[in-house]
Amino acid sequence: MNVIVLGSGVIGTTTAYYLARQGARVTVIDRGEGPALETSFANAGQISPGYSTPWAAPGIPLKALKWLFQRHAPLAIRPDGSLFQLRWMLAMLANCTSERYRLNKERMVRIAEYSRDCLRELRAETGIHYEERTRGFLQVFRKPAQLEAVKADLQVLQEFGVPHTLLDIDGVVEAEPALAVVRDKLLGGLHLPNDETGDCYLFTTRLADQARALGVNFRFGADIREWVTANGRVRGVKIVSDGHEEVVSADRYVLALGSYSREMLAPLGLDLPVYPVKGYSLTIPVADGDCAPVSTVMDETYKIAMTRFDQRIRVGGMAELNGFDLGLNPRRRDTLEMVVRDLFPGAGHVEQGEFWTGLRPMTPDSTPIVGATRYPEVFLNTGHGTLGWTMACGSGRLIADLVTEKQPAIRCDDLGLARYGKVRGHDVQPARLSSAT
């Protein structure tokens, strides 16, 4: 079976690896000059199945209104001039109920826990290293309301058998000793001992090497233009590489273009509810290891994660709904610097930090879209939001099973596009498609 994977971020690369391991002949196509150069390049660094939490939650609408007037708010909304932005926000608000939150949380934890198991298996099989740490994840609380709100998550974690401990301030300091100097600012925390950390870019580039060894062909610098169809079926993809236009064809196609997946899928009459949510990170050289985190610490108040690599600290978070804007807002850097200095004073050379931004592909219910479409040759692996690194191996292995018609290891009938109901249009729209010759 020949398979084309569109996109070489962590999602596309893990998909290609698992497809090749199952015997498929795989070609990965990407406009970049190498893997993981966009959203996967400098994310927050945590692999956090236990923290797989929907953005759409009870109380979020009121919090969002308050955040609009705060300098260091975790969320900013700016109209991008599209009707889709409004539709997407309304769909997200519809998921801010206790019932929907519980349903979405269950889906996210299911795939994230599976993904962490797949990552451990992959690491054992390949010996891959990516500055990984397996010392857990700590969510810290500054306010009593945060301790109260976490109770709903604890019930889901318990049902799924996810190890977790609600810590008092002494427990927080035991888990992350450097927080001892700021213990008066904190009330407690949630520790998830099975969560991990690591550099997503290093992982993806090194896994791409493993995939090449299995026969995967990576075609970089190729601009993906449009689908080629005939008789209501997808027959190929038109690309431009080195100034030359060509059509590449396969038996199956996996769309893993992150935030750009929606635009690519629209000509097929499929309405993909994925919106680009802009996030930021700051990568700081370690100045004093004793003052730095040992793993990942999430400041629940500002939704900022601080992750320890070998000699670097990755500080990441925040969300802007502003279309495909990739400008670096200096106010966001101020927030990242403020939080890391507040919790880990003296840990890093903040002034030397590398400031970065990327677009997270987010669905209204925070759950990725992994599965088939009504076109038997087209599959989707996108919409992972802030948890692409966390869910990459699991969703990559899952989609490889579906493409090669193997029985998946986890339930996946509710992870596809069909959960959003009837899609726009019923037939392929010929006017917007290239026809096969």
Side-chain angles (χ1 to χ4, degrees), residues 353-367:
E354 297 177 3
F355 191 33
W356 174 89
T357 188
L359 301 175
R360 313 170 181 117
M362 181 71 75
T363 62
D365 60 13
S366 300
T367 306

Side-chain angles (χ1 to χ4, degrees), residues 250 294 362 369:
V294 297
M362 181 71 75
I369 297 174

Side-chain angles (χ1 to χ4, degrees), residues 91-153:
M92 181 178 176
L93 289 174
N95 278 276
C96 291
T97 65
S98 297
E99 180 181 358
R100 295 297 302 178
Y101 178 85
R102 186 176 183 82
L103 174 64
N104 295 330
K105 174 82 173 180
E106 184 276 328
R107 290 170 174 165
M108 295 173 72
V109 171
R110 184 199 319 156
I111 192 169
E113 285 285 311
Y114 174 60
S115 187
R116 199 251 332 281
D117 293 343
C118 291
L119 173 60
R120 289 178 173 176
E121 181 180 306
L122 185 154
R123 194 164 59 223
E125 290 175 350
T126 64
I128 192 171
H129 290 292
Y130 43 92
E131 297 191 22
E132 71 276 7
R133 292 185 173 217
T134 57
R135 301 185 64 171
F137 174 96
L138 178 64
Q139 180 183 8
V140 295
F141 308 115
R142 299 174 185 254
K143 304 174 183 178
Q146 295 168 348
L147 285 168
E148 184 65 25
V150 79
K151 292 180 180 178
D153 289 337

Side-chain angles (χ1 to χ4, degrees), residues 289-418:
D290 292 336
C291 297
V294 297
S295 189
T296 290
V297 175
M298 167 66 75
D299 187 331
E300 182 62 16
T301 298
Y302 299 101
K303 304 290 186 181
I304 299 294
M306 291 145 284
T307 299
R308 175 71 179 274
F309 296 153
D310 287 352
Q311 295 300 323
R312 298 172 295 153
I313 302 169
R314 175 71 49 75
V315 188
M318 293 173 293
E320 288 184 3
L321 275 61
N322 190 23
F324 288 88
D325 172 64
L326 282 170
L328 286 168
N329 186 337
R331 292 182 60 186
R332 306 304 173 212
R333 177 171 185 141
D334 291 344
T335 298
L336 297 173
E337 291 185 359
M338 182 275 294
V339 173
V340 71
R341 281 179 166 140
D342 188 51
L343 289 186
F344 294 99
H349 297 289
V350 177
E351 69 285 352
Q352 299 177 22
E354 297 177 3
F355 191 33
W356 174 89
T357 188
L359 301 175
R360 313 170 181 117
M362 181 71 75
T363 62
D365 60 13
S366 300
T367 306
I369 297 174
V370 184
T373 69
R374 58 184 170 85
Y375 296 89
E377 58 276 354
V378 178
F379 293 78
L380 306 177
N381 194 4
T382 187
H384 297 77
T386 60
L387 295 168
W389 183 201
T390 293
M391 298 180 173
C393 290
S395 58
R397 187 169 181 173
L398 174 60
I399 203 69
D401 287 338
L402 295 175
V403 169
T404 58
E405 300 181 352
K406 298 183 184 299
Q407 181 63 40
I410 62 171
R411 177 190 170 194
C412 60
D413 61 297
D414 57 349
L415 298 177
L417 185 59

Side-chain angles (χ1 to χ4, degrees), residues 68-79:
L68 294 179
F69 304 98
Q70 295 178 8
R71 178 184 177 189
H72 295 296
L75 173 67
I77 301 173
R78 294 179 175 83

